[in-house]
């Protein structure tokens, strides 16, 4: 049983499309992270949320604490957005990670 | 601000050999994490340090893995002896105590890609 589930696992989009990646979790959390991992392994933290919504450029992250669900949206997607997007939650002293969503944006 | 540094970036060893990875966290970050990420999976926490003390090592295979952070700054992770299933990317991350509990931020290093043949 995974504490964090992401969907879809794989996603291919045309450049310019609006993209949504979903994350559901089953534990009580103090924070939820959206991470971006490019080929080669480096991980960059995109957002950290405990409530509501955050926006950074073309990226928007929302969280619904009652429903234990978060979404990451990418507007006007671009090939450079191609990466694996990972949802992670902090629960007490533990971090739980989703298996990631592999996004490919085609020119 | 310099990021989390890890070395080596890549390592290829034969099974039953030993290997060590090094991590230097962001200056001033009290908390350091080692993660194992097997291809196609999300990162799995191996060990968490707060300064030089271990907070959580429940998922560390202690028969072959060890980690230390003697002076509360940089850390080493060792595998001895390595098995084929240890092939993975080993990620180090750090975070600061001086942030509100609800805004816990981790900064990741570039990772070390280990291949065991």
């Amino acid at each position: 049983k995974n504490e964090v589930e992401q969907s879809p696992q794989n996603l291919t989009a045309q450049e310019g499309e609006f993209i949504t990646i979903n994350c559901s979790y089953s534990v009580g959390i103090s924070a939820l992270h959206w991470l971006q991992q490019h080929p080669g392994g480096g991980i960059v933290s995109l957002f950290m949320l405990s409530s509501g919504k955050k926006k950074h450029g073309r990226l928007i992250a929302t969280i619904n604490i009652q429903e234990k669900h978060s979404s990451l949206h990418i507007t006007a997607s671009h090939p450079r957005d191609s990466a694996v997007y990972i949802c992670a939650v902090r629960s007490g002293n533990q971090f739980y990670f989703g298996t990631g969503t592999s996004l490919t944006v085609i020119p | 601000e310099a990021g989390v540094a890890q070395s080596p970036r890549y390592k290829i060893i034969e099974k039953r050999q030993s290997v060590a990875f090094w991590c230097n966290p962001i200056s001033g970050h009290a908390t350091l994490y080692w993660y194992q990420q097997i291809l196609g999976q999300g990162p799995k926490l191996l060990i968490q340090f707060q300064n030089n003390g271990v907070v959580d090592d429940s998922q560390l295979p202690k028969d072959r893995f060890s980690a230390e952070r003697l002076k509360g700054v940089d850390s080493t992770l060792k595998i001895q002896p390595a098995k084929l299933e240890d092939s993975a990317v080993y990620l180090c991350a750090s975070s600061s105590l001086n942030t509100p509990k609800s805004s816990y931020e981790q900064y990741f290093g570039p990772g070390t890609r280990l291949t065991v043949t």
Side-chain angles (χ1 to χ4, degrees), chain B:
Chain B
E1 178 182 72
V4 177
Q6 287 188 247
S7 68
R9 291 295 312 277
Y10 304 92
K11 190 74 178 178
I12 301 173
I13 61 172
E14 294 182 352
K15 60 184 179 184
R16 291 187 288 274
Q17 285 187 322
S18 301
V19 64
F21 312 127
W22 175 82
C23 172
N24 193 309
I26 290 173
S27 178
H29 280 195
T31 309
L32 185 148
Y33 308 82
W34 281 104
Y35 294 92
Q36 180 194 58
Q37 186 177 23
I38 293 171
L39 187 65
Q41 299 181 19
K44 181 183 88 171
L45 179 68
L46 294 176
I47 189 166
Q48 176 184 345
F49 290 97
Q50 191 89 313
N51 297 306
N52 60 349
V54 175
V55 172
D56 183 359
D57 64 356
S58 56
Q59 297 197 79
L60 187 73
K62 298 180 186 64
D63 57 334
R64 297 183 302 104
F65 285 64
S66 64
E68 59 183 16
R69 193 184 184 200
L70 292 175
K71 295 182 180 177
V73 181
D74 53 355
S75 175
T76 54
L77 176 69
K78 295 179 182 176
I79 308 175
Q80 183 179 7
K83 292 185 175 181
L84 295 176
E85 58 261 35
D86 298 332
S87 294
V89 175
Y90 291 84
L91 295 160
C92 179
S94 70
S95 64
S96 171
L97 275 176
N98 298 323
T99 53
K101 233 179 176 183
S102 62
S103 62
Y104 203 92
E105 186 75 66
Q106 282 192 63
Y107 297 84
F108 286 83
T112 296
R113 185 175 297 277
L114 173 67
T115 303
V116 182
T117 62

Side-chain angles (χ1 to χ4, degrees), chain A residues 44-80:
Chain A
V44 173
S45 178
L46 298 175
F47 292 104
M48 184 175 47
L49 296 162
S50 54
S51 64
K53 175 179 172 178
K54 286 190 177 180
K55 184 175 189 291
H56 186 251
R58 295 179 295 104
L59 302 178
I60 303 167
T62 63
I63 188 169
N64 185 318
I65 297 293
Q66 286 74 30
E67 294 184 5
K68 295 190 172 180
H69 181 269
S70 175
S71 293
L72 176 69
H73 306 286
I74 305 175
T75 61
S77 59
H78 191 275
R80 64 174 173 267

Side-chain angles (χ1 to χ4, degrees), chain A residues 1-5 23-34 47-52 61-71 87-98, chain B residues 100-104:
Chain A
K1 171 185 170 293
N2 293 328
E3 288 81 2
V4 179
E5 298 278 358
C23 173
S24 296
Y25 53 91
S26 58
V27 294
I29 69 168
S30 55
L32 181 144
H33 300 252
W34 280 103
F47 292 104
M48 184 175 47
L49 296 162
S50 54
S51 64
T62 63
I63 188 169
N64 185 318
I65 297 293
Q66 286 74 30
E67 294 184 5
K68 295 190 172 180
H69 181 269
S70 175
S71 293
C87 174
V89 301
R90 176 176 167 81
S91 178
N93 272 335
Q94 298 279 344
F95 274 94
Y96 301 99
F97 289 78
Chain B
K101 233 179 176 183
S102 62
S103 62
Y104 203 92

